[in-house]
Amino acid sequence: MIVGSGGREHAIAASVAKSPKVDKIYCAPGNAGIGQIAECVPIGAMEFEKLAQFALENEVGLVIVGMDDPLVGGLVDVLEAKGLRVFGPRKNAAILEGSKAFSKDLMKKYHIPTAAYETFDDAKKALSYLEGAKFPIVLKADGLALGKGVLICNTLEEAKEGVRTIMTDKKFGSAGNRMVIEEFLTGREVSVLSFVDGKTIRIMTSAQDHKRAQDGDQGLNTGGMGTFSPSPFYTKEVDEFCRKYIYQPTVDAMAKEGRPFCGVIFFGLMLTADGPKVLEYNARFGDPEAQVVLPRMKNDLVEVCEACVDGTLDQVDLVFEDNAAVCVVLASDGYPVSYEKGYVIHGLEKFDGADGYYCFHAGTKRTEDGYVTNGGRVLGVTAKGKDLKQARANAYAAAEWVDFGNKYMRHDIGKAIDEA
Ligand code: AMP
Ligand code: GLY
């Protein structure tokens, strides 16, 4: 059973479906696309007791939690208490994503490279700290805020306004009861996902996300408008540094703190002139990172997840295809602010039997008229290719196979690879 309803969960379901160990997949609550390969169950990701009851009644052998909210809220603990096998961190480990103050303090304590910072639980103190600060500066709401709780402020005025938005007006709710103010870093961003069993960590292939809504990285931050994998900026040298100073040290730090981490750690890295630094941790697969990383993974996903649950990940070697993948998100025009829904989606059948092409559903719904749009991010169109250039050409060709009333996409996903 997979918990979640986005393109990430569709990509997880598609990988799980390939496993010979699986004869039935449930997804709660799932979406219209996931419904093609799994039985969607109308239980929300935050309905812990109902999820547990359903899993017990249907003899679910493994639960994979895709989303951050239920992880941070303690779904894994609830399911484990009923004797279920669950892939994902417990509440005391998901805090790695759930509290930016926690993760920053952890990095400081264990000397894991990250931006310099201060934590505040009082707006007045934060405002007076800003008076002597260097700009631009980065403000982060402590808790989960749908990826929108980070403000990059160019001036003192903007930063003061930001503190008020987060701490006084509580735009991100209780996530803004505390905040982190940190140094602005420059460089290339890379997303690195990993499997962790509490002690051992295995690194997946790298990826890069495009968070801004418009071409040229302009416009508002979104959940992600597209990804490519691998990142040509993630060199062997960078990898060696991160393994030594970031990956294993993070896993060891969590274990030392009595918070052993089982599941996926997503390292959001900035490759700065002073070396790689951690921008953030997530306690789950990235979305849309999962939509380019999982299609390239040769391992049986279920076997890897079980090794994490059983603490035998040291016996697993991850293997990725020697190729590349690009994912272009097809969104509703106006996302992430306001947009219309309910447009009929044409052309989905072109993906049937198209080897190396995937159409992962995020915001879609099945109606009498067929599939219709039902969210800001509608579909993730992924294509593989022998290299990034080819994968990008393939993904943009496939992005034209589908159409709907207010279809919107970026046209420069993976363009950075031209500079590599
Ligand atoms: P986060 O949710 O912490 O990953 O932040 C969201 C985005 O804000 C990141 O993907 C970066 O693009 C940007 N960001 C976060 N922290 C910093 C920083 N210290 N310096 C520059 N950009 C940052
Ligand atoms: N794509 C970024 C995230 O999943 O948080």
Side-chain angles (χ1 to χ4, degrees), residues 100 115 138 140 150 152 182-185 189 211 270 279-280:
K100 303 230 188 238
V138 184
K140 299 186 174 183
V150 175
I152 294 173
E182 73 176 29
E183 170 198 10
F184 176 75
L185 300 176
E189 274 189 68
K211 286 205 169 93
M270 184 75 96
L279 284 178
E280 66 159 347

Side-chain angles (χ1 to χ4, degrees), residues 286-328:
D287 194 1
E289 283 87 344
Q291 300 181 46
V292 283
V293 170
L294 288 177
R296 297 185 54 228
M297 190 168 94
K298 288 190 183 176
N299 301 70
D300 179 331
L301 176 59
V302 174
E303 260 177 37
V304 181
C305 291
E306 286 186 324
C308 290
V309 175
D310 295 338
T312 56
L313 191 60
D314 58 336
Q315 290 160 37
V316 173
D317 283 317
L318 296 183
V319 190
F320 286 84
E321 292 171 2
D322 183 20
N323 58 10
V326 170
C327 170
V328 178

Side-chain angles (χ1 to χ4, degrees), residues 204-232:
M204 294 180 233
T205 183
S206 62
Q208 186 181 318
D209 186 13
H210 296 65
K211 286 205 169 93
R212 301 293 203 91
Q214 292 160 23
D215 283 8
D217 290 327
Q218 301 295 310
L220 294 172
N221 258 323
T222 70
M225 294 300 295
T227 37
F228 59 87
S229 170
S231 162

Side-chain angles (χ1 to χ4, degrees), residues 116 120 125-139 151-164 179-186:
F120 298 90
K125 288 200 183 118
L127 289 169
S128 75
Y129 170 83
L130 286 173
E131 296 289 344
K134 269 201 342 207
F135 295 88
I137 201 160
V138 184
L139 312 184
L151 305 176
I152 294 173
C153 303
N154 290 308
T155 63
L156 176 61
E157 267 323 297
E158 256 180 60
K160 283 180 162 173
E161 192 52 45
V163 169
R164 286 184 212 111
M179 66 181 291
V180 168
I181 301 188
E182 73 176 29
E183 170 198 10
F184 176 75
L185 300 176
T186 54

